[in-house]
Amino acid sequence: QEVFNPMVTINGSPIPADGQTLAAYLTQAGYDPARVAVGGDIVPKALYNATTLADGDVVEIVRFVGGG
């Protein structure tokens, strides 16, 4: 019997984040939502709480780093 294990691909790695909001995932994973961009299609920060991750989604999270 095959076991269905829904996964979201985040920065190239399969993560069991199906059903979590983007905001919840970012917080749980230790990201500062004010200092990241989420793409393929850029997700506006105002929609992080309303965006639910689903099986098969592919997400890239980019951290902004200051410096010079």
Side-chain angles (χ1 to χ4, degrees):
Q1 176 174 332
E2 187 174 327
V3 175
F4 178 66
N5 191 10
M7 291 287 180
V8 176
T9 301
I10 299 179
N11 291 350
S13 298
I15 306 290
D18 178 62
Q20 286 188 353
T21 66
L22 185 54
Y25 173 77
L26 290 171
T27 299
Q28 170 260 302
Y31 288 99
D32 177 354
R35 299 189 54 84
V36 299
V38 179
D41 296 327
I42 300 295
V43 178
K45 290 183 186 345
L47 296 180
Y48 284 7
N49 282 316
T51 302
T52 301
L53 299 169
D55 182 48
D57 283 351
V58 177
V59 178
E60 293 296 322
I61 300 171
V62 179
R63 293 181 197 241
F64 296 108
V65 180

